Each structure stands twice: as structure tokens, then as C-alpha cells.
Amino acid sequence: MEPPVLAFTLWIFAFLSVPAAGYPNGKVREACSSMMPRHEHSPQPSPEHTISVNETEFRPGDHIKVSLSGPVFEGFFIQARNAENLAGPAVGSFMLAEERISQLLTCGLVKNSAVSHTSKSKKTHVEAYWIAPTDAPEHVQFLATVVEKYKIFWVKIPGPVISQPNAPPLTTPTSITPETLPTSQPVFHLTKSFNASGCGITKFCIRNPPKCDPGTAYCFFLSFKQNNHSVLIEMSGPSEGYIAFALSHDQWMGDDDAYLCINEDHRINVNTAYLSGRIPPVLDSENGLEDISWRLADGLVQCSFRRNLRLPSYKGRFNLDANYYIFLADGEASEGLIHKHHRQPLITNGMYNVTDSPKDVGGSRSPLLLKLHASLMFVAWMTTVSIGVIVARFFKPVWPHSLFGKEIWFQVHRMLMLTTVLLTSVAFILPFIYRGGWSKWAGFHPYLGCTVMALAIFQPLMAGFRPPPHAPRRQVFNWVHWSTGTTARILAVVTMFLGMDLPALNLPDPWDTYTMIGFVAWHVGIDILLEIHSYCLIRKVEVIDEDRIQILQSLTSAEAEGHTFKEIVLTIYICGNIAFLITFLAAIHQL
Ligand SMILES: *[C@@H]1O[C@H](CO)[C@@H](O)[C@H](O)[C@H]1NC(C)=O
Ligand SMILES: *[C@@H]1O[C@H](CO)[C@@H](O)[C@H](O)[C@H]1NC(C)=O
Ligand SMILES: *[C@@H]1O[C@H](CO)[C@@H](O)[C@H](O)[C@H]1NC(C)=O
Ligand SMILES: *[C@@H]1O[C@H](CO)[C@@H](O)[C@H](O)[C@H]1NC(C)=O
């Protein structure tokens, strides 16, 4: 947790006197906007505390002393706002006067734009300095929330207005009516979590992770239940800001019908929007939704509503009885605006007709480009490189004949290795295209990946300039060629282990790790088998040709047998290798 967030969590903690574990950063911005302690009590009507300042005029960069005083209080929260837009964001920043009892908080985008208490100690007077920003509005008003006790508090106590020199007189009235909490809960208030008992039987469900229970803290859940001409929609998921789903004709954002449940000051507003492109949605003022209910509990946002199959009188609402890709997104919300989802939205793997036979489906948060990246890398570093190395290591004596001017083993080796380099190069570019640059959140994976890429390019370049077979430097080449290749393969396996667990690929954990360990074991096992076999073969040949030990290149009956054995092992190896490969490709593409 960043310090300001932590401090703010503590602030809320003091207001509430309940464990703060359930207030991570998302709610911070909302309380920043409402200045309302999360509370089941209503604020007091007439303020008893006063805010004063030591100047009435300010210029950008000025320091203004702000004081809050009155009857003994425990908590406070001070902000400056544009006097002509008191519902807007905090303006300017503060500097502390008394670090023991006060601290700086960050509201919205402005650092240190609010001051609050550090503990519940009793106080009657606090001070801080407000620093006017360069882009300050003409009139600034100070607002304070004061908590006397748990149940007794005042919200947005209006303070003095200060103005820039020569500013026209303030036009809007400065008095504001403090917002009041809803005294009664909305009529349609959900009392418990949704359940998945009818999924695939009476309702169409989308769950992520697959088959999760919508009551748990990590489950994203969306269901459609048709009832004559209307559809009941339930959506829930862990979020501090908003959760949303959209119906789309394609797998890209844009031209979509979206439904959003937005947490605004601890109330959920259910909205619709037509998404015209990759820009923040403009919420519709009217939507055809009925029976709206919601619940905010245990870190989950839950909302349900009903809409007709067809809503021809509302622009932007799609008919529900058609095929769509369905997106499920979540993100932060503040001041009624939603922020871009900071992780990939879930997208169903196919188009579905939610009013057709009920299904229970999952989806994927993994973008196509990254799936392709992973697939190509798996083909390259699991299959082509492994077979290519085995061929070079064990099949020189088996396939010595010439094909297009070179030995067969060499042709096969070169083809597989060049394929590996080609696949790696293509796959390497894809994440950069997807991210539009370097990926900061992928740990060591990209660094190792770049090393592997460099080695993979170096290897064929070096091989192109290799010395002739009997030149003295040939041994050096052989050794460097072998060690570069081996290093690249080991690093590639490590890179794959790291990459598999990245969220953008979303492979089932720990299945992926075990399967990969299985593959490594399979490969090493076959390698060892062939090594042992070669060793035994040499011994056998040595025994048969006691006189001529240098016989290794000539065909004896023992060697012929050995060749058949090697070919069988290679065939079995390739089958196993491809089985592993297909398993991974199927998992990546969630087939
Ligand atoms: C108000 O307080 C600020 C900060 O201490 C100071 O720089 C300024 O001179 C004060 N103004 C007056 C009129 O005292
Ligand atoms: C699931 O919810 C429905 C109502 O939405 C209710 O009728 C049913 O009893 C619930 N099932 C379980 C297992 O809680
Ligand atoms: C569906 O509509 C019919 C007649 O229009 C009505 O009798 C029935 O109760 C409705 N079903 C439900 C579940 O509302
Ligand atoms: C979707 O399913 C409904 C109900 O089975 C059906 O009437 C409708 O034609 C389907 N739409 C498409 C586009 O298949």
C-alpha cells in the first residue's frame, strides 16, 4: 500500500472504529469526493466549527494559513475546492503545520490535496497551509468534515472563500447543503450473494475463474435468466469502483452495448452506455432497466436488473436474442466517472445467444497477440529445437547420406533450428506490439526472453561462419555452438516457466507448472536413454572389432540394430513431444 493510501485507510479506520481491512484504495477517492465518513448515521445539520484563513486574496504559489476550530473533536478532513464548482475535485495542495496531529492525503490526481487527523486524540484547533496552484480557479472555498464522536459529525462545513486579485465577484451562492446519507435503504436491496445453482440449467452464466462461487471474494459472475419477454441479469464481482459487461459483435471494444454498476459514495448506480470506440463511455441518461437492486458487501459489487428482450425505443440497446461476444470488466470509479479497467476484460471465447439454451461458460482475459506469442514460443522451444538437437546429437551416424549436397541429419537439424529462430523472432515482436513498448509488470520474463532471442540470432550467424570439418578451430566452434545452444534452451525453459504464470496468459495454476515439469522430465529421460544407448553401442562395436577400434563410421550389424532402435525412440519422442505441445496449445487457446 502506498503511504497516502495507507494513511487514508487509517483515516477511515478512525472514523469508523471497525477493522479497516475492507477499505483498500478504491474507496479512497470516493470519500475524497463526498467527504463523507462511511457511516450508517446522518451528518449533523448546523455546523459548530469554523474555518478561517489569514488572507482573502491569493496568487498562484501563495501559502495561505487555514485554521479549523470549535468544540472538541476527534477527526477532521479539509480540502479546498473551486467555489463555483463545489462538487468538483480538490484544488491545490497543503503543507502541514503540526505533523503530530495532522497528515497529508492525496485526493484524485492532486498530491497532498487534503489534510486529515493522525489519531482520535481530542483537539479544538488545527492548522495547515494551503498552497495555491498555478491553474487555480478564480475563487477557492475551503471545506471541512469534522467528527466529534462516532455518531456525531458534520460534512462539508463551508469555510471562507478566497479569490484571485481582480477576479469578478463570485456568481454562484456559496452556501451548500451538506449531502445526507440515504436514511433508508433502497426498496430493492439484495440481502445475499447470488448463487450459481441454476447455471447451465435455468440461466446462462459467465464465470471467471470457471465454476467459481459468486459469493466468494475473487469470483466474477454474470447471469441471464429469461422470463417470458424480459431477462433478469445478475452481475457481481470484486471491485471498489465498478463492474460492467458489454454485448459486442466482435472481440474489440467499440460499437458495444454496455451495462455498468458503479459504486458512487457507497451506493450503486446502474447505468447503460453505448460504447462507440476505445474511449470512456458516456452514460445514458435514460435506460430501459427495471427492478434494479444492488448490494455492496465483502468487497463485492453486486447488482441485478431486468430488461426486455428488445428495447427499440432506447438507442444503443441491442436485442438480447442474438449472438454476441460478452465482455466483463472492472475498474476504479471516482466522482461518478469510471476509469479504464486496469486489467484485461474477460471476453467469452465465442459468440453466445443468452436467450437460447442456458450455458455455463468461462472466458479469457488473455489477448490474442499474447496467446500467439506463447503458442509460437511453445512450438519453437518445446518441439522444433528439441527434435533438432536430438537429431544433431544422435543421428549423424544414422542419416549420413547426402541430400541436396549435405547430409540428411544436417539438413533436418538446420531446417528445425532455422524454424526455431524464425518462430522465435515472430513471437518476440508480438508482446511489444501489444504493449506498445516494454512490459514493466512481467517480472524477469521479458529480460530472459531478450537474452534467449539474442542467443537464438547469434547461433545461426556463428554456424554460418563455421570452420571446415577438419580445421583445427572446428573443435572450438563445436564447443561454442553446443554451449550457446544449451544455454539458450535452458534459459528458454526458465522463461517459459515464468511466462506461463503471467496473468495475461492465464493458464490454470499449478497445472501448467506440473505439465511443464513433466515435459522436461520426458525430454531429459529420452536424452539419457539415447546417451546410454550410444555408450553401449560404442562398447559393443569395440568388442566386435577388437583390432580396429576406429570403426565407428562403418556400418556393422550392431550399428544397424542401434539405428533402428534410435529411430524408434525418436518416433516415440516426437509423439510424446507433440502430445505435450498440443496440451499446452489447447490450454492457451482454452479449447
Ligand atoms: C498567512 O500565512 C502565510 C503562511 O504562514 C504567510 O506566508 C502569510 O504572510 C500570512 N499572511 C498574513 C497576512 O499574515
Ligand atoms: C439461489 O438463489 C435463488 C434465488 O435467486 C434461490 O431461490 C435459491 O434457493 C438459491 N439456491 C441456493 C442453493 O442458495
Ligand atoms: C409469462 O407470461 C404468461 C402470460 O403472458 C404468464 O401467465 C406467466 O405467469 C408468465 N411467466 C412468468 C414466469 O412470469
Ligand atoms: C437466440 O435464441 C432465441 C431463443 O432460442 C431464438 O429465438 C433466436 O432466434 C436466437 N437468435 C439467433 C441469432 O440465433
Side-chain angles (χ1 to χ4, degrees):
M1 231 188 259
E2 301 160 50
V5 174
L6 178 65
F8 195 78
T9 310
L10 293 176
W11 175 71
I12 293 186
F13 177 76
F15 265 105
L16 276 172
S17 314
V18 294
Y23 303 92
N25 52 19
K27 285 182 178 146
V28 169
R29 290 191 184 172
E30 281 154 31
C32 268
S33 119
S34 66
M35 300 186 68
M36 176 82 80
R38 191 178 174 185
H39 225 279
E40 292 306 315
H41 301 272
S42 297
Q44 302 292 318
S46 38
E48 296 173 5
H49 300 80
T50 51
I51 309 169
S52 54
V53 288
N54 75 342
E55 310 254 13
T56 55
E57 277 199 347
F58 72 94
R59 286 181 180 78
D62 276 2
H63 288 45
I64 310 283
K65 186 149 99 185
V66 184
S67 323
L68 171 70
S69 51
V72 174
F73 56 95
E74 292 177 351
F76 64 90
F77 185 57
I78 305 174
Q79 278 184 2
R81 295 196 181 182
N82 181 349
E84 287 167 317
N85 177 21
L86 288 174
V91 168
S93 55
F94 284 92
M95 215 171 74
L96 294 182
E98 302 140 306
E99 303 208 349
R100 197 177 45 80
I101 60 168
S102 56
Q103 64 187 344
L104 299 168
L105 301 171
T106 294
C107 277
L109 300 174
V110 188
K111 200 162 186 294
N112 302 336
S113 50
V115 189
S116 79
H117 59 271
T118 51
S119 75
K120 285 173 70 180
S121 66
K122 306 250 184 284
K123 39 205 157 269
T124 56
H125 182 89
V126 289
E127 273 178 7
Y129 302 106
W130 181 73
I131 307 165
T134 48
D135 58 348
E138 285 169 331
H139 307 279
V140 167
Q141 182 167 23
F142 293 91
L143 300 176
T145 285
V146 174
V147 176
E148 191 175 292
K149 285 204 190 81
Y150 179 65
K151 290 183 185 174
I152 304 175
F153 59 94
W154 293 263
V155 172
K156 284 191 182 170
I157 299 172
V161 177
I162 57 174
S163 308
Q164 303 223 39
N166 310 323
L170 188 56
T171 48
T172 46
T174 60
S175 70
I176 52 164
T177 44
E179 289 170 38
T180 48
L181 271 182
T183 44
S184 60
Q185 297 293 1
V187 184
F188 300 107
H189 190 78
L190 300 168
T191 50
K192 55 179 183 163
S193 325
F194 299 137
N195 67 55
S197 51
C199 283
I201 306 159
T202 58
K203 55 188 183 186
F204 183 98
C205 297
I206 299 168
R207 292 193 264 174
N208 178 250
K211 310 280 179 227
C212 64
D213 173 2
T216 52
Y218 57 86
C219 186
F220 287 92
F221 173 81
L222 174 65
S223 76
F224 299 84
K225 186 173 184 178
Q226 194 180 357
N227 195 341
N228 284 347
H229 289 293
S230 78
V231 176
L232 174 70
I233 298 167
E234 294 177 332
M235 172 162 59
S236 75
S239 177
E240 303 294 344
Y242 70 94
I243 53 175
F245 80 89
L247 306 173
S248 179
H249 300 292
D250 52 36
Q251 291 180 287
W252 311 103
M253 191 169 157
D255 184 24
D256 307 325
D257 178 16
Y259 301 79
L260 307 97
C261 297
I262 307 174
N263 180 347
E264 240 183 295
D265 293 340
H266 317 294
R267 280 187 254 179
I268 300 292
N269 287 337
V270 179
N271 292 286
T272 57
Y274 174 73
L275 308 181
S276 49
R278 294 181 66 92
I279 51 169
V282 179
L283 303 180
D284 297 326
S285 51
E286 286 195 314
N287 56 48
L289 310 183
E290 298 157 18
D291 296 358
I292 293 174
S293 349
W294 56 268
R295 178 169 175 253
L296 261 176
D298 314 324
L300 285 179
V301 172
Q302 268 178 276
C303 56
S304 79
F305 49 89
R306 182 180 291 286
R307 64 153 274 191
N308 277 344
L309 276 184
R310 289 153 189 268
L311 289 170
S313 51
Y314 294 90
K315 211 174 127 272
R317 297 288 77 73
F318 294 179
N319 293 338
L320 284 181
D321 54 353
N323 289 310
Y324 300 107
Y325 286 103
I326 301 167
F327 287 55
L328 206 49
D330 64 295
E332 279 179 47
S334 67
E335 285 151 25
L337 295 175
I338 72 168
H339 294 248
K340 185 182 183 309
H341 41 81
H342 36 195
R343 61 167 147 181
Q344 292 302 321
L346 183 82
I347 306 177
T348 53
N349 295 319
M351 294 179 97
Y352 291 101
N353 181 346
V354 297
T355 58
D356 209 355
S357 56
K359 292 194 177 64
D360 188 6
V361 304
S364 166
R365 292 187 185 272
S366 174
L368 188 62
L369 281 179
L370 296 184
K371 283 184 184 175
L372 281 179
H373 165 79
S375 309
L376 295 177
M377 288 300 195
F378 269 105
V379 174
W381 293 94
M382 197 160 192
T383 301
T384 56
V385 87
S386 306
I387 299 172
V389 168
I390 287 184
V391 165
R393 175 86 184 87
F394 301 105
F395 284 76
K396 280 178 197 166
V398 184
W399 297 334
H401 319 288
S402 184
L403 181 75
F404 304 124
K406 293 276 181 192
E407 297 96 324
I408 295 179
W409 74 263
F410 177 76
Q411 295 282 30
V412 174
H413 174 73
R414 184 168 63 180
M415 183 196 65
L416 288 172
M417 291 320 198
L418 287 180
T419 309
T420 303
V421 176
L422 189 71
L423 291 175
T424 309
S425 311
V426 173
F428 180 80
I429 301 167
L430 300 179
F432 290 94
I433 296 177
Y434 173 70
R435 290 277 175 214
W438 186 256
S439 183
K440 283 183 221 129
W441 292 280
F444 290 114
H445 177 82
Y447 297 96
L448 285 174
C450 287
T451 315
V452 172
M453 182 76 244
L455 293 176
I457 299 272
F458 175 63
Q459 190 76 330
L461 289 182
M462 184 174 58
F465 294 103
R466 66 189 175 280
H470 300 293
R473 283 184 298 117
R474 179 68 176 207
Q475 277 310 106
V476 178
F477 162 78
N478 285 350
W479 193 84
V480 176
H481 188 65
W482 177 84
S483 50
T484 310
T486 306
T487 310
R489 288 171 68 207
I490 291 173
L491 287 181
V493 168
V494 175
T495 313
M496 280 154 92
F497 267 107
L498 294 176
M500 283 183 318
D501 286 333
L502 292 176
L505 200 52
N506 218 17
L507 286 183
D509 210 35
W511 170 90
D512 54 355
T513 311
Y514 291 144
T515 312
M516 194 67 187
I517 291 174
F519 165 73
V520 172
W522 167 252
H523 179 84
V524 172
I526 293 287
D527 225 30
I528 291 175
L529 178 67
L530 287 172
E531 285 291 351
I532 293 174
H533 174 256
S534 295
Y535 176 75
C536 295
L537 193 63
I538 291 170
R539 291 282 303 272
K540 212 165 169 183
V541 171
E542 279 173 352
V543 172
I544 291 170
D545 294 70
E546 284 166 302
D547 305 328
R548 286 174 301 146
I549 303 216
Q550 299 290 59
I551 200 82
L552 292 181
Q553 293 297 326
S554 76
L555 260 181
T556 65
S557 63
E559 274 190 313
E561 249 172 56
H563 292 176
T564 314
F565 175 81
K566 280 185 186 176
E567 278 163 351
I568 292 172
V569 171
L570 181 67
T571 311
I572 295 173
Y573 173 77
I574 292 177
C575 292
N577 184 303
I578 288 178
F580 274 108
L581 180 68
I582 290 175
T583 312
F584 272 108
L585 294 186
I588 290 170
H589 295 277
Q590 305 195 338
L591 300 176

